[in-house]
Structure formats: C-alpha cells, structure tokens
Amino acid sequence: MSVLLQFSLISHIFLGLLGIILFYAVLMVLFKPIDFKRIKFLRRVSLLGLISFLSSWILGGYYYVVYYGNIVKPLIKKSAYPWAHSIFMEAKEHIFLFLPFAALVAVLIFYILGEELEQKQAIKKTVIILSSLIVILGAIMALTGIIISGAARLR
Amino acid sequence: MSFLSINSIAHIISAIIGTGAATAEEILYFKDIRDGKIDEAEARHLRITYKIMHWSLIILVLTGFGILAGVRIKYGGTKTFYSPVLWAKYTIVLVLLANAVLIAARKMPMKWAGSLSLTSWYAAFALGRITEKTREIKWLADFLSKFNFVELYLITMVCYILAVAIVAIILNYLKKIIIKKQ
C-alpha cells in the first residue's frame, strides 16, 4: 500500500470518527436549554461534523476506487469471510450516504432557526432524534469497517 | 516511534486516566452525598471528573481505531479484528457512551448510572489487558480457543451484566448507609 493510500485510509477513519464525535457533542448540548452561546457552539460543531463526513467520503471513495476495489475486494471474496464484502461493505456503501445529508439538515436548522429552536420544542426534539441517528449510524459504519478490514487477510 | 506505537501508548494512558476519573467520581460523590445533598461547589468538582472521563473516552475511541488502522496497514486483517473479547469491549464502550447520553437526557435512573459507568470503565480496561495477555500467555490463549465467537462474546457480556448488577447493589447499599448516618 502506498503512503498516499495509507494516508487516505487513516484519514477516512479519523475524519469519520471525528464527525461522529462532533455530532455526539451536538447531541449532548441539545439536551440543555439553547441560548446564544450554545447556538454558536451548535452551528460551528455541526458544520465541522458535516465537513468531516464529506472529507471522509471523498478519501474513502479514493481508497475504494484506487485500491480496495481491485486488490482487497477480490481477496475478501476468496477468503473465509466473503460476507464481509457482500453484506457489510455493500451495506456500508449505501447506508453511509445518510450521514452527510442528515448532517446537512442539522446544520441548516441550527443556522436558520438559531435561538428560536428553544421556543420550537417539536423541532428541537426532531433535531435530537436526527443527531442520535447520525451518531448511531456513524457507530455502525465504524464497526462494519472493522469487520471488513478484518477479512482482508493479506498473508 | 511508529503510528501504531503512538496510538497504543495514548490508548493505554487514556484508559488509565479515564478509569481513574470514574473511580474518583464515585469517591467524590459518596463524600459529597454525606450531608444528603450536592451543593454547587461539589457539583463543580463532579463536572471536572466527568469532563476528564469524556475526553478520555474520546481519545480512547480515536486511538483504538488508530491501533486497528495501524495493524491493518502493517499486517493486513488479523484475528484481532474478529476477537470476541474485543467486540465485547466495543459493546461496553457503546454502553458507556449511551449511558452518558441518557444521563444528559435525564432518562437514566441514578441508581444505575454510577454502577454502569464504573463497571464499564473497569471492564473495558480488563478486556483490553486480556486481549494483550492472550498473545503472551499460552494457557490463556488455549483456554479461550475452546470457545467460538458467539460463546465467548456471550460469556463476556453475561459476566459484565452480572458485574454491573453487583456493583449497583453495593453502591446503593453504601449510599443508604452513608445517608442514614446523618
């Protein structure tokens, strides 16, 4: 694996995790009353989370197209764990798409509504559910990544 | 120092700090609850240990994945990725994170929150050490190899749930004695 590909893989993992951690922080703050200071935090952190997910998507895509598709995928399919690709990677390729768009919705809500979010409790509850979904899906993506990597027995 | 070593060292340090903070949190809580209530100054101390636990958990997650990435790049996928003991550890870390969210949402009964947190930190720490030791101690590796993935995972989780229950009983009993002494 070239240095660029190693960098892509590691960055894909860390940026994805960073996105999850940032939305975890968003979730924790959403349980408190929203004031000016907290809405500033929510806007910045959710935007950083969105950028992390988008960057992870691009780097993961590069790694997949340049290396995983041609080298790793055939190895996994020939190994004792072909389901690691056919079930988990295939699922991951589709489910992950929810993350950046759900993150975008959260960012837009924080920027458009601002402190008004505290008066609109129904929308606030929805954003809490949305952020929880982002964190849960993100965790599932991270864990499926472990399953897929584990099947790539190169030796 | 390699990427793998840096992550391994940071992982161990944050595990020690996080477990220490969880222990300190419980000790401080019992010290503060002696008068039957927690005032603002006492709550401030608890918030500090809580923040240390949170940051330790974040660093643990990042460095844990860093270790896996390092192993993946250096050795390819290995048995480590499918270790039932490690998967039990991931489950426990998820429980810790969920516990924190439920506490913030005020949906977690306090009689369970403390024992879940404390037991989870020690359990994750212990499972990490067991995973390391199976590489060094032959009899341990031989013993664990008698079980398949599902069996070992379930055994670990049952032990964890029992430990949480036992610690909850002990902590609630201690709380009753301490408050009764008023």
Side-chain angles (χ1 to χ4, degrees), chain A residues 22-124:
Chain A
L22 289 169
F23 271 92
Y24 179 78
V26 162
L27 183 59
M28 295 300 265
V29 169
L30 278 171
F31 289 122
K32 300 176 186 166
I34 310 292
D35 55 22
F36 177 70
K37 210 170 134 191
R38 285 190 183 130
I39 200 66
K40 257 175 74 175
F41 174 86
L42 287 169
R43 282 173 173 168
R44 281 181 193 161
V45 171
S46 64
L47 184 60
L48 274 170
L50 172 63
I51 293 168
S52 299
F53 284 139
L54 289 171
S55 309
S56 180
W57 181 0
I58 291 165
L59 288 160
Y62 173 78
Y63 176 81
Y64 189 105
V65 166
V66 172
Y67 186 74
Y68 178 89
N70 298 326
I71 312 282
V72 183
K73 179 171 135 185
L75 262 172
I76 292 175
K77 287 187 134 181
K78 271 190 287 182
S79 75
Y81 319 97
W83 43 262
H85 175 84
S86 52
I87 296 173
F88 288 99
M89 185 49 134
E90 293 291 344
K92 194 176 179 208
E93 283 173 41
H94 296 89
I95 296 171
F96 93 89
L97 278 167
F98 281 106
L99 289 174
F101 294 101
L104 178 63
V105 168
V107 170
L108 287 173
I109 288 174
F110 294 138
Y111 273 90
I112 292 169
L113 282 179
E115 285 166 73
E116 273 180 54
L117 192 59
E118 189 57 26
Q119 277 79 56
K120 297 182 160 97
Q121 285 294 313
I123 299 179
K124 190 182 174 189

Side-chain angles (χ1 to χ4, degrees), chain B residues 7 12 21-23 44 60 64 68 75 90 104 110 120 139 141 148 163:
Chain B
N7 279 284
I12 292 167
T23 311
R44 229 179 294 130
L60 272 173
L68 289 172
Y75 305 109
Y90 305 149
M110 288 321 287
S120 299
W139 67 260
N148 66 32

Side-chain angles (χ1 to χ4, degrees), chain B residues 30 170-181:
Chain B
F30 280 106
I170 294 170
L171 290 180
N172 285 307
Y173 178 69
L174 283 173
K175 189 178 167 185
K176 272 195 192 123
I177 298 175
I178 285 167
I179 292 178
K180 209 175 174 183
K181 270 188 177 167

Side-chain angles (χ1 to χ4, degrees), chain B residues 18-117:
Chain B
T19 311
T23 311
E25 170 102 357
E26 287 307 312
I27 294 169
L28 276 173
Y29 176 76
F30 280 106
K31 185 179 161 295
D32 296 339
I33 206 78
R34 275 183 308 180
D35 58 2
K37 58 176 172 58
I38 295 177
D39 59 38
E40 186 47 41
E42 290 164 345
R44 229 179 294 130
H45 294 140
L46 290 172
R47 278 197 290 270
I48 292 170
T49 51
Y50 192 65
K51 256 201 178 120
I52 295 171
M53 273 197 282
H54 247 147
W55 278 105
S56 302
L57 197 53
I58 286 167
I59 295 167
L60 272 173
V61 168
L62 287 170
T63 52
F65 275 90
I67 291 168
L68 289 172
V71 169
R72 168 69 183 83
I73 286 167
K74 201 170 174 181
Y75 305 109
T78 66
K79 283 193 285 186
T80 305
F81 287 78
Y82 292 169
S83 159
V85 174
L86 272 184
W87 276 93
K89 189 177 160 186
Y90 305 149
T91 310
I92 290 167
V93 169
L94 287 173
V95 167
L96 258 176
L97 291 164
N99 187 39
V101 170
L102 290 170
I103 290 170
R106 298 182 201 280
K107 301 275 188 212
M108 174 58 73
M110 288 321 287
K111 65 180 176 185
W112 288 108
S115 66
L116 255 175
S117 174

Side-chain angles (χ1 to χ4, degrees), chain B residues 87-171:
Chain B
W87 276 93
K89 189 177 160 186
Y90 305 149
T91 310
I92 290 167
V93 169
L94 287 173
V95 167
L96 258 176
L97 291 164
N99 187 39
V101 170
L102 290 170
I103 290 170
R106 298 182 201 280
K107 301 275 188 212
M108 174 58 73
M110 288 321 287
K111 65 180 176 185
W112 288 108
S115 66
L116 255 175
S117 174
L118 191 64
T119 316
S120 299
W121 274 102
Y122 276 93
F125 190 83
L127 290 175
R129 295 296 293 149
I130 288 169
T131 309
E132 207 185 306
K133 288 300 170 191
T134 51
R135 284 192 278 272
E136 296 166 17
I137 302 174
K138 197 177 176 307
W139 67 260
L140 183 60
D142 289 343
F143 173 73
L144 292 175
S145 66
K146 288 184 170 53
F147 306 97
N148 66 32
F149 181 96
V150 174
E151 285 166 350
L152 203 44
Y153 178 81
L154 285 174
I155 290 168
T156 314
M157 292 314 298
V158 166
C159 292
Y160 165 68
I161 291 166
L162 281 171
V164 170
I166 291 167
V167 170
I169 292 167
I170 294 170
L171 290 180

